[in-house]
Amino acid sequence: MTTHLRAVAHPFLQAARRMSTGAGMPIRKVTVVGAGTLGSQVAFQTAISGFDVAVLDTQAESLSRCRAAHDAFAQQYLAREGPKQARAWQGLASHSTAKEVAKAALDRLVYTTDAAEAMDGSDLVSENVPEIVEVKAATYNALSAHASPETIFTSNSSTLLPSQFAEATGRPARFCALHFANGIWDANIGEVMAHPGTKPEVFERVVQFAKEIGMVPLRCHKEQSGYIINTLLVPWLNAAQTLVTKGVCTTEDVDRAWVICFGIVNSDKGPLGIMDMIGQGTAHNVLKYWGANLPDAQMAANADYIKKELLDKGKLGLCGGDPDKDKATGYYNYPNPAWKNRDFLNGTE
Amino acid sequence: MTTHLRAVAHPFLQAARRMSTGAGMPIRKVTVVGAGTLGSQVAFQTAISGFDVAVLDTQAESLSRCRAAHDAFAQQYLAREGPKQARAWQGLASHSTAKEVAKAALDRLVYTTDAAEAMDGSDLVSENVPEIVEVKAATYNALSAHASPETIFTSNSSTLLPSQFAEATGRPARFCALHFANGIWDANIGEVMAHPGTKPEVFERVVQFAKEIGMVPLRCHKEQSGYIINTLLVPWLNAAQTLVTKGVCTTEDVDRAWVICFGIVNSDKGPLGIMDMIGQGTAHNVLKYWGANLPDAQMAANADYIKKELLDKGKLGLCGGDPDKDKATGYYNYPNPAWKNRDFLNGTE
């Protein structure tokens, strides 16, 4: 399902029955609340990673659809992993077959509309209900009534902030966000965001849990609407839409421009790697110009940051140089910047 | 130098001595004004595409650096095309060798600080001087004094608009922007932008010229600061920078998030293709929410556009479906959207 090269345990590749005890906070059973598109993915990924999973939804039909989705995910897993395992395990007798792994995952999943049953013995909650403040708050209230004081609560939200629900969980110190991207097997990020009252050990425990279910954990140290990926995505999509809305050019030329310039050649760099390539002097000038002319205070602050933290320290970026050969510094050090390291996407720096 | 698959004449691959007569506007000699990084690239690409090129700069040292860059470009061309041509032309006697092509390109280039000499017999001007209004205006005034009334003027600017200089050129009807991206061989786009007084035939002639020198022409029908690629790039880089400036997460996690979610798997889609994938209902809701809450009037207008032009017409996008199999409509039609077509990047739709 994925085309990324990862050295970390990959989604779908962890299958031993798990009893995870990081930092004295054992996690064996996970409750996934809300059986929609993303909740279903989180539940299956957690189960195939070796955890017991209870899927809780107020609607029985949602649970039926979720169960059907899980059967389909198991088939996809088999189609992909079966042939690989047969090759990898030639001559080894002790491993489970892909078929056994998939069956065990489905066996670890239970589906219920009963909050008490879903929360019984639960060590961690992943909340996946709609992005409506009142619905989320009511959900946390209801769950809290059935939860052990030790249970860690996480929210899979990217537009609402954990501090908005910390009190409703009844355990603010044991609550943070763990946000997944749709298509959890291809886009296997886990954005972990604390609110000011989250205990650091709980935050790190959730980071570890994200790794245990095959996600690349991305630590958000401050609350930020949109977390990381939607903070990047929304203004970019909005700019594309602006070109169309204003009738500047065709939709095809919008997409063509991006793909020609950045879609393939530079696919190994993210935006800050691209910023180094362009050069931090240019990045500064552009942000300063637009910050003053739009006006846009955050853009102006970004220009000031680049001046102070990069330019004034001689970190000018690569400025069109060769990342394999040229000596330069910016957000990355050249030659051989971190983003060229094959482990970069694993988050092991 | 490029990794794109293109069916169109590729940069570096057109080498016949050219006398282009599209729409009764012959182009044989091109004057490239400003011998900086991008001007040097434009000049070489134009020469190797078969046009006579005069490079004009006020600084003799700039011309020296440009000439050295051209020698290096010719070596790069030889290193890449020589072996290919040897294979492709096996048994054919009539083609020029790569060495002859490169030599002919260098022979077509002249370098001068004399505006009269550079403009003598010039059919098209590509202005590449610094992005300072007064400098550009003075340049156009000086060039205009030596130009035939028929000469087409183009500006390689992406932050300033052609209407700002239309009068200074002395030929507003024969003036528009033709903006290139840095790294013209990899990012071979030519953004063509008219001002309200540009003659449509001149606009199309410049589009054709862009094709003749191996660019994928992108037509901008209205003036827009940043044209297409920088309109997309600036808010995206700015959002990345905002995460760093605010201390939300590490620079590596910013880049990692993007590359994992969109850098590889979806590199064949541009932003509007990605918008279809996410679903236009979601795109609408997100833009409406942020448009109201930031507030951001353009974002709100973008949401309204999506509702009226897409959602109200049942164009809901792919919504996570399979672009190879699922029937759906959004900005593209599924299955088999235009961006999957191997000719998509050639601009032939």
Side-chain angles (χ1 to χ4, degrees), chain B:
Chain B
M1 286 188 174
T2 186
T3 58
H4 297 296
L5 291 168
R6 303 279 165 72
V8 285
H10 193 277
F12 274 172
L13 295 183
Q14 300 192 359
R17 186 167 182 82
R18 188 176 293 279
M19 171 61 178
S20 161
T21 57
M25 286 180 262
I27 296 178
R28 166 167 283 177
K29 175 175 171 180
V30 174
T31 306
V32 175
V33 186
T37 303
L38 198 42
S40 295
Q41 295 176 18
V42 172
F44 186 79
Q45 180 61 23
T46 303
I48 206 158
S49 300
F51 296 91
D52 289 331
V53 178
V55 185
L56 173 67
D57 201 289
T58 53
Q59 305 295 317
E61 313 90 81
S62 297
L63 292 173
S64 299
R65 279 194 299 271
C66 179
R67 196 191 290 261
H70 288 173
D71 288 337
F73 296 160
Q75 290 303 319
Q76 291 167 22
Y77 170 79
L78 272 178
R80 199 188 68 160
E81 296 304 323
K84 274 199 238 169
Q85 290 188 356
R87 282 195 302 277
W89 295 350
Q90 229 165 8
L92 295 175
S94 61
H95 283 82
S96 308
T97 64
K99 207 165 176 178
E100 287 165 349
V101 170
K103 181 176 182 308
L106 294 176
D107 287 347
R108 283 186 209 107
L109 283 153
V110 298
Y111 308 85
T112 179
T113 55
D114 179 343
E117 181 192 344
M119 292 303 297
D120 183 37
S122 176
D123 303 302
L124 186 139
V125 170
S126 170
E127 170 273 303
N128 295 264
V129 305
E131 298 282 279
I132 301 164
V133 174
E134 296 72 22
V135 173
K136 282 197 192 283
T139 301
Y140 284 121
N141 266 314
L143 296 173
S144 184
H146 300 288
S148 147
E150 298 301 307
T151 308
I152 295 172
F153 278 28
T154 67
S155 174
N156 185 7
S157 173
S158 75
T159 55
L160 303 173
L161 299 175
S163 59
Q164 295 179 261
F165 308 104
E167 289 309 317
T169 65
R171 66 204 67 237
R174 301 181 78 75
F175 173 61
C176 65
L178 171 55
H179 176 244
F180 300 89
N182 189 19
I184 201 170
W185 301 287
D186 284 328
N188 66 325
I189 59 170
E191 298 179 305
V192 186
M193 185 184 284
H195 67 92
T198 307
K199 259 175 93 170
E201 306 91 279
V202 170
F203 181 82
E204 286 303 324
R205 186 65 188 87
V206 174
V207 165
Q208 189 191 324
F209 172 73
K211 288 186 195 172
E212 289 167 350
I213 61 170
M215 300 297 110
V216 175
L218 304 173
R219 290 174 176 83
C220 298
H221 303 291
K222 292 184 183 176
E223 292 201 318
Q224 163 80 23
S225 291
Y227 295 60
I228 302 174
I229 195 68
N230 284 318
T231 293
L232 296 171
L233 190 61
V234 170
W236 184 67
L237 293 180
N238 185 61
Q241 183 59 52
T242 298
L243 289 165
V244 173
T245 303
K246 288 187 174 175
V248 172
C249 60
T250 64
T251 55
E252 289 80 4
D253 276 354
V254 171
D255 279 5
R256 189 173 281 129
W258 184 268
V259 175
I260 290 174
C261 288
F262 296 112
I264 302 168
V265 174
N266 298 307
S267 66
D268 45 0
K269 293 180 209 63
L272 295 167
I274 288 181
M275 210 185 273
D276 268 354
M277 181 188 74
I278 292 167
Q280 293 298 342
T282 301
H284 170 264
N285 291 344
V286 168
L287 294 177
K288 189 172 175 185
Y289 176 87
W290 290 106
N293 281 277
L294 286 175
D296 183 314
Q298 182 62 51
M299 217 176 254
N302 291 343
D304 290 345
Y305 180 98
I306 290 174
K307 178 162 191 320
K308 190 175 160 207
E309 299 298 331
L310 296 168
L311 300 180
D312 288 354
K313 295 176 180 174
K315 299 178 176 182
L316 308 181
L318 193 56
C319 307
D322 184 335
D324 292 323
K325 295 181 187 162
D326 292 349
K327 196 170 161 58
T329 306
Y331 274 121
Y332 297 88
N333 293 310
Y334 304 86
N336 304 319
W339 54 258
K340 289 192 75 81
N341 187 320
R342 69 182 297 279
D343 284 331
F344 180 70
L345 295 189
N346 301 327
T348 53
E349 89 283 343

